[in-house]
Amino acid sequence: MEPTSFVLFGATGDLAKRKIYPALYNLFVDRKLPPSFSLIGLGRRELSDESFRANVELSIRQFSRRGADNLSLIKPFLQAFRYSVLDISRKEDYKKLLQMIERREEELGISSNRLFYLSVGPEFFETIAANIQESGLGSPNGWKRLVIEKPFGHDLQSARDLNRKLSKAFTEQEIYRIDHYLGKPMVQKLEALQQNPVLNALWTNHYIANVQITANETVGVEERAGYYDQAGAVRDMFQNHMLQMLMMVASHIPNNSDSEMVRFKKKLVMEALEPLQKETVKASVIRGQYKEGMLQGKPAAGYRSEPGIDSASMNDTFIAAKLHIDDFFWRGVPFYIRTGKRMKEKSTRIVFEFKEPSITSQGSADADGKSPNLLVFEISPNEGITLQVNTRESQHKGDFKPIRIDFHESRNDVPEAYENLIYDALNGDPTFFAHWDEVELSWKWVQPILEAFEENLVPLYLYEAGSYGPAESDALLAKDGYHWWFDAKSEKEIETKRGEQQYAYHANY
Ligand SMILES: NC(=O)C1=CN([C@@H]2O[C@H](COP(=O)(O)OP(=O)(O)OC[C@H]3O[C@@H](n4cnc5c(N)ncnc54)[C@H](OP(=O)(O)O)[C@@H]3O)[C@@H](O)[C@H]2O)C=CC1
Ligand SMILES: O=C1O[C@H](COP(=O)(O)O)[C@@H](O)[C@H](O)[C@H]1O
């Protein structure tokens, strides 16, 4: 890996503290940082290098997956850290920054490879990119890269405007748009798994009845009312993370593909998505908002009573949609996607339900006692793959019973999404970053939904906190003879589900 100066805008912020420093430390421990590495943290508040390092250490103690007991390498790690005050709008601060970077590069004897990480609000992206260019921070004696956080625009037009402005200072190859779901290890595994000939052979409309992509969260709006009440689930999760997961499962990526091919295939999926019309969005999209309820045994407030939320807010905290990909592989297979806050349990997963001619509707067992074969990718909070197949019980010949072939990763061994993404950005590997074409096509596809919500052409269904969303989301699948898999409707069912899993047949592969 090439020597790098990591220039972090927003070094005193929440994301840096909770995600970026712990990820960098874990990479350091795993010897995955460049041998010559310099980090310059930037923010408005006055901090000495020592207090900056002390803050970084604190955040690693608090948030690193390795825990507070595994900090033997913290001192050498922190040696790379420096801090400088910078106000984003003050041009002279960029000159000062340039001098500081050059001084560090000289001290370390390294070339001018500079990674600019914008961990600041989106309103600053354009100004920073322009100032980096004007102040000569991109040096001809090395590469420059721009790592940029979400949100990338608020709708199609604003995303296009932002991209045009960033393009004045950075080429597409230099821009790394973070979608942290693309950094999740199981999402990354999808790339390799679908190239596997066994799975690849099954991964089509010949065998698959439907695909379900779920990202349920138990958290509510938290302290982000100002942002979330303007964004809603459709912008916060659906346009980016959910559609990225869709692209990852639905693209047929050939063996030994490079990043260009992966991104090209993902783009083809978005191009093949059947477009929606604003007037008919309500036929395939369910909009929900949580009201008060009970979550994990405790009362939970409704969205409109959350601090900072308008008491008449029509914002969506839940969205479910049925999509069709009109291509050779997926024609006729519905993709159901849902995400919501204050749901019964935290679970991100993708379920492939296989066709089975003898299965009755509702996915329930038919007269033979069979239920559909399923392939399940659990993305979080646990990482795993389960193949559920029908077999006959040896004692009671004739009875069908699903068995589960299970692979689960031990949690401490799993790198965090930000570790994977920062490592890739340092290496110049853009595979798991969102290309502009994907972002633009996602916004384009979502735009009629935004407009239909804005104009109240889609009903807003209230659902109880601690539930699985509005009943209309279940009805969306029921109309086609399906149901959402693995929604445990009661605590008792969750217990039974856990019990069954203990008996599952375990195989390592
Ligand atoms: N927090 C999270 O979990 C997630 C955040 N994001 C995105 O990451 C980005 C950062 O979010 P987050 O860390 O939560 O935000 P915070 O508000 O916690 O931090 C903002 C940072 O920006 C700095 N800053 C603000 N104004 C200026 C200015 N005029 N000049 C220089 N620095 C400035 C602040 O430094 P100081 O106060 O010292 O000036 C601070 O370091 C946002 O784009 C957000 O959407 C994306 C996903 C998750
Ligand atoms: O980007 C976001 O993601 C989180 C959910 O991420 P996860 O890794 O915990 O699944 C979500 O809570 C947040 O609202 C959104 O901005």
Side-chain angles (χ1 to χ4, degrees):
M1 199 182 282
E2 292 172 288
T4 307
S5 298
F6 191 108
V7 183
L8 180 58
F9 292 80
T12 54
D14 177 70
L15 183 73
K17 181 172 76 177
R18 286 193 306 111
K19 298 290 181 190
I20 299 174
Y21 301 137
L24 285 169
Y25 180 65
N26 289 329
L27 289 172
F28 182 76
V29 173
D30 292 340
R31 297 173 184 275
K32 286 164 101 180
L33 284 187
S36 289
F37 178 76
S38 141
L39 184 142
I40 297 176
L42 305 165
R44 278 170 307 183
R45 55 200 97 160
E46 298 278 347
L47 285 179
S48 65
D49 286 344
E50 286 67 35
S51 25
F52 176 50
R53 290 186 194 128
N55 292 346
V56 173
E57 178 169 345
L58 205 64
S59 76
I60 291 165
R61 282 183 188 281
Q62 222 179 334
F63 297 109
S64 164
R65 71 181 158 91
R66 289 202 153 86
D69 302 334
N70 210 332
L71 292 179
S72 53
L73 294 174
I74 193 79
K75 290 280 171 289
F77 170 70
L78 290 172
Q79 275 170 16
F81 282 63
R82 302 286 185 280
Y83 181 82
S84 182
V85 172
L86 174 139
D87 190 309
I88 288 164
S89 54
R90 283 165 51 124
K91 291 191 188 304
E92 56 273 31
D93 285 359
Y94 293 81
K95 296 275 175 226
K96 209 174 72 185
L97 173 63
L98 177 60
Q99 287 165 7
M100 186 170 183
I101 297 175
E102 285 175 342
R103 203 165 52 241
R104 285 291 289 148
E105 285 169 350
E106 217 174 289
E107 278 166 20
L108 295 167
I110 61 177
S111 46
S112 305
N113 302 319
R114 296 166 189 166
L115 183 148
F116 302 97
Y117 195 125
L118 310 197
S119 181
V120 292
E123 65 278 19
F124 296 123
F125 294 168
E126 180 195 340
T127 313
I128 297 177
N131 280 328
I132 287 174
Q133 193 192 30
E134 266 177 47
S135 57
L137 274 158
S139 157
N141 304 320
W143 48 253
K144 72 176 189 310
R145 292 179 193 143
L146 184 76
V147 179
I148 189 163
E149 279 291 340
K150 63 171 267 205
F152 199 92
H154 189 70
D155 55 15
L156 179 59
Q157 192 51 51
S158 58
R160 281 180 172 157
D161 289 347
L162 173 60
N163 200 57
R164 195 168 22 80
K165 285 165 184 161
L166 293 183
S167 306
K168 289 183 188 157
F170 290 86
T171 64
E172 177 60 30
Q173 289 66 35
E174 291 173 330
I175 301 177
Y176 291 70
R177 295 177 197 81
I178 291 218
D179 183 305
H180 81 277
Y181 271 57
L182 288 179
K184 291 186 186 264
M186 185 51 71
V187 176
Q188 298 201 339
K189 283 194 187 94
L190 289 171
E191 184 210 349
L193 282 168
Q194 57 166 288
Q195 295 174 40
N196 176 305
V198 176
L199 294 180
N200 192 267
L202 299 172
W203 214 270
T204 77
N205 52 10
H206 289 299
Y207 303 108
I208 306 291
N210 73 80
V211 182
Q212 303 178 11
I213 307 178
T214 291
N216 287 343
E217 299 187 80
T218 52
V219 293
V221 62
E222 298 179 291
E223 284 88 42
R224 302 159 73 209
Y227 152 76
Y228 193 84
D229 208 34
Q230 299 304 312
V234 62
R235 292 184 175 87
D236 186 48
M237 293 288 291
F238 192 90
Q239 176 272 332
N240 38 69
H241 306 322
M242 305 309 286
L243 289 181
Q244 280 293 341
M245 285 195 282
L246 173 79
M247 288 180 236
M248 289 303 294
V249 292
S251 53
H252 277 75
I253 299 167
N255 260 337
N256 304 319
S257 293
D258 59 9
S259 70
E260 218 172 300
M261 178 56 80
V262 172
R263 291 162 122 203
F264 173 68
K265 291 286 179 184
K266 285 171 67 188
K267 178 179 155 183
L268 292 185
V269 171
M270 286 311 298
E271 284 173 342
L273 256 194
E274 277 182 11
L276 299 176
Q277 303 301 325
K278 177 174 86 173
E279 293 73 21
T280 51
V281 162
K282 66 169 183 274
S284 50
V285 175
I286 306 297
R287 170 165 74 143
Q289 185 189 84
Y290 63 85
K291 58 181 182 180
E292 63 182 11
M294 292 293 287
L295 187 66
Q296 291 159 351
K298 293 193 189 119
Y303 178 71
R304 290 175 187 171
S305 311
E306 299 271 25
I309 301 293
D310 181 349
S311 59
S313 172
M314 291 292 285
N315 191 32
D316 49 300
T317 63
F318 175 96
I319 177 170
K322 176 178 163 181
L323 293 74
H324 284 286
I325 300 171
D326 188 18
D327 72 6
F328 171 77
F329 298 106
W330 296 115
R331 197 160 294 130
V333 179
F335 282 72
Y336 303 103
I337 300 186
R338 69 172 164 175
T339 178
K341 292 213 181 275
R342 284 283 188 240
M343 305 287 278
K344 191 176 190 82
E345 49 199 3
K346 165 84 180 163
S347 176
T348 307
R349 70 173 102 86
I350 300 172
V351 180
F352 284 78
E353 179 174 330
F354 288 89
K355 285 181 179 168
E356 179 103 38
S358 59
I359 295 297
T360 58
S361 66
Q362 308 297 310
S364 59
D366 67 3
D368 290 340
K370 280 188 190 169
S371 64
N373 298 313
L374 302 173
L375 178 60
V376 184
F377 297 96
E378 273 182 66
I379 293 162
S380 86
N382 302 311
E383 302 254 329
I385 306 172
T386 304
L387 180 63
Q388 177 176 301
V389 290
N390 275 304
T391 185
R392 284 181 202 277
E393 283 210 280
S394 51
Q395 295 110 319
H396 308 288
K397 296 242 181 309
D399 286 357
F400 278 102
K401 187 178 177 210
I403 60 162
R404 297 202 177 110
I405 302 168
D406 239 7
F407 161 78
H408 276 85
E409 203 87 74
S410 133
R411 289 211 71 193
N412 276 352
D413 297 341
V414 180
E416 293 251 353
Y418 274 85
E419 288 171 44
N420 288 334
L421 294 174
I422 291 174
Y423 177 74
D424 286 348
L426 287 165
N427 263 315
D429 179 353
T431 312
F432 294 111
F433 293 85
H435 191 282
W436 166 243
D437 294 343
E438 298 158 26
V439 176
E440 184 180 37
L441 286 164
S442 309
W443 277 121
K444 202 170 170 184
W445 193 84
V446 157
Q447 189 65 31
I449 307 184
L450 301 181
E451 289 167 16
F453 283 10
E454 189 69 32
E455 295 170 34
N456 273 323
L457 301 177
V458 178
L460 179 71
Y461 298 108
L462 300 184
Y463 61 97
E464 275 180 28
S467 71
Y468 283 103
E472 287 73 10
S473 141
D474 297 329
L476 184 70
L477 278 70
K479 273 193 284 192
D480 301 336
Y482 302 122
H483 65 85
W484 292 108
W485 280 101
F486 306 116
D487 281 6
K489 299 288 177 198
S490 65
E491 294 302 328
K492 191 159 179 296
E493 274 181 69
I494 295 179
E495 280 314 306
T496 317
K497 198 169 86 181
R498 283 201 193 109
E500 275 173 14
Q501 275 165 0
Q502 281 168 9
Y503 290 107
Y505 168 65
H506 287 263
N508 288 323
Y509 59 94

